[in-house]
Amino acid sequence: MEKFIFIAFLDVMLASLLMFQSVICSSNFTDQVALLHFKSAIKIDPTNTIKGGNWTAEANFCEWIGVVCSNRKQRVTALDLSHMGLHGRLSPYLGNLSFLASLDLRNNSFYGTILIEISHLRRLKKLVLEDNQFAGNIPPNLAWCQNLEVMSLMMNRLMGSIPREFGTFPKLQKLYLGSNDLRGQIPSFLGNRSTLQVITLFNASLTSSIPLALFNRLLTSVILMDNYLSGSLPSDLCYRWHDI
Ligand SMILES: *[C@@H]1O[C@H](CO)[C@@H](O)[C@H](O)[C@H]1NC(C)=O
Ligand SMILES: *[C@@H]1O[C@H](CO)[C@@H](O)[C@H](O)[C@H]1NC(C)=O
Ligand SMILES: *[C@@H]1O[C@H](CO)[C@@H](O)[C@H](O)[C@H]1NC(C)=O
Ligand SMILES: *[C@@H]1O[C@H](CO)[C@@H](O)[C@H](O)[C@H]1NC(C)=O
Ligand SMILES: *[C@@H]1O[C@H](CO)[C@@H](O)[C@H](O)[C@H]1NC(C)=O
Ligand SMILES: *[C@@H]1O[C@H](CO)[C@@H](O)[C@H](O)[C@H]1NC(C)=O
């Protein structure tokens, strides 16, 4: 009996030691689980960087290629997997990376819809999904990411209209939506956003007259080529290209 109690006591000691250690490392298991789900949703990885690299539970996920963590809390703050030729859908677990500030998946072959779970990422400042094969509508809920400063969804297969909700980003500076199959009007509220510096809507099948509000002087670059637009442009408008 005494022996049994002693063993039980040891077990409790061991369990609390392990818990203590995980608090010290304070790496959030939720982030690791989310990244592993993200990995398993990738169907093709031509360079085998994710599927065959160190994206395994054996290595600390903060050191996985493309992953950046905050120093103190060991939470994922940036995920950059651009230019890797990845094919697959996004995993809804992506929405659990609650400290993510930058998501850059440009120039891959991600398909499916832009998941609504991305709108759970309230700390997101930069969302770059350009040059993929995302289809469907732009989720209006992306407007919940109130810290967004840069959003590029250009060069995909997105349809529908620019959500009305996009008028509510308090910090948005650059918005790239060109080369999609967007329809409808260019919403005039976009011109009301005093933080907005760049907006590109080229080749997006938008059909409407150009809202004059778009050309307030705070907007340094408006690129609207190749739309079925009517109306006239301000004569002093210059077209400039900005890098993200
Ligand atoms: C994972 O791979 C990258 C690139 O090869 C390397 O920089 C990083 O140190 C590796 N991490 C671990 C934990 O081995
Ligand atoms: C896109 O990524 C591929 C590698 O997957 C690379 O060869 C190509 O140069 C990249 N294209 C651009 C425009 O960056
Ligand atoms: C993470 O996200 C998925 C899918 O969105 C969900 O099912 C899961 O319960 C979430 N939470 C954790 C802690 O992984
Ligand atoms: C880990 O992240 C999840 C989801 O963001 C959160 O609910 C949980 O409290 C976090 N745990 C720790 C130990 O930080
Ligand atoms: C315009 O967008 C369509 C898809 O909507 C795409 O196939 C085409 O290559 C784009 N053209 C240019 C010049 O970007
Ligand atoms: C733009 O802002 C002005 C004043 O802040 C407001 O009266 C107007 O309704 C807004 N226009 C749009 C299209 O949101």
Side-chain angles (χ1 to χ4, degrees):
M1 185 64 180
E2 254 176 32
K3 195 173 176 186
F4 174 75
I5 290 173
F6 182 65
I7 288 172
F9 176 70
L10 265 185
D11 276 349
V12 171
M13 281 292 286
L14 194 63
S16 42
L17 255 179
L18 285 176
M19 269 170 67
F20 184 58
Q21 182 162 22
S22 72
V23 168
I24 285 186
C25 296
S26 82
S27 45
N28 193 310
F29 194 60
T30 309
D31 284 5
Q32 182 185 313
V33 170
L35 290 172
L36 287 174
H37 273 89
F38 177 82
K39 171 187 169 182
S40 61
I42 294 171
K43 298 290 170 229
I44 303 175
D45 174 9
T47 59
N48 225 8
T49 314
I50 309 292
K51 295 295 221 187
N54 56 23
W55 274 53
T56 62
E58 281 81 58
N60 178 357
F61 62 85
C62 290
E63 284 160 29
W64 293 355
I65 195 159
V67 177
V68 175
C69 289
S70 54
N71 279 333
R72 262 188 322 127
K73 289 190 173 158
Q74 296 278 288
R75 300 296 307 263
V76 177
T77 54
L79 190 58
D80 179 353
L81 301 172
S82 53
H83 310 296
M84 292 178 86
L86 303 172
H87 286 245
R89 289 175 186 276
L90 294 183
S91 163
Y93 277 75
L94 209 50
N96 293 350
L97 296 174
S98 44
F99 280 67
L100 200 64
S102 174
L103 176 63
D104 191 344
L105 302 176
R106 82 182 77 178
N107 184 21
N108 283 290
S109 297
F110 285 102
Y111 51 84
T113 56
I114 294 177
L115 295 179
I116 209 162
E117 280 78 4
I118 289 182
S119 61
H120 299 161
L121 301 172
R122 302 300 163 84
R123 290 180 172 84
L124 205 58
K125 289 183 179 166
K126 186 170 159 182
L127 175 64
V128 182
L129 302 178
E130 73 180 55
D131 203 356
N132 277 284
Q133 288 157 26
F134 289 112
N137 294 327
I138 301 176
N141 296 7
L142 284 183
W144 293 351
C145 304
Q146 294 269 295
N147 285 305
L148 269 183
E149 292 168 5
V150 178
M151 170 156 60
S152 178
L153 308 178
M154 68 183 188
M155 300 162 81
N156 279 290
R157 296 170 183 174
L158 299 168
M159 300 182 309
S161 55
I162 301 173
R164 263 186 309 125
E165 289 78 356
F166 278 23
T168 65
F169 287 113
K171 299 179 183 167
L172 195 65
Q173 293 168 14
K174 300 177 181 186
L175 177 63
Y176 303 83
L177 298 174
S179 225
N180 278 296
D181 202 15
L182 301 176
R183 306 275 158 165
Q185 312 240 320
I186 297 172
S188 55
F189 57 72
L190 286 177
N192 251 13
R193 301 250 42 96
S194 59
T195 54
L196 206 58
Q197 296 162 4
V198 181
I199 173 167
T200 75
L201 301 166
F202 64 93
N203 187 21
S205 315
L206 293 163
T207 49
S208 70
S209 60
I210 299 159
L212 277 178
L214 262 180
F215 301 108
N216 72 32
R217 61 192 173 79
L218 294 165
L219 221 50
T220 57
S221 168
V222 181
I223 301 178
L224 297 161
M225 289 101 75
D226 297 330
N227 283 296
Y228 308 107
L229 299 166
S230 56
S232 57
L233 294 168
S235 55
D236 59 348
L237 181 72
C238 69
Y239 292 103
R240 276 193 285 149
W241 183 257
H242 285 245
D243 285 332
I244 297 173

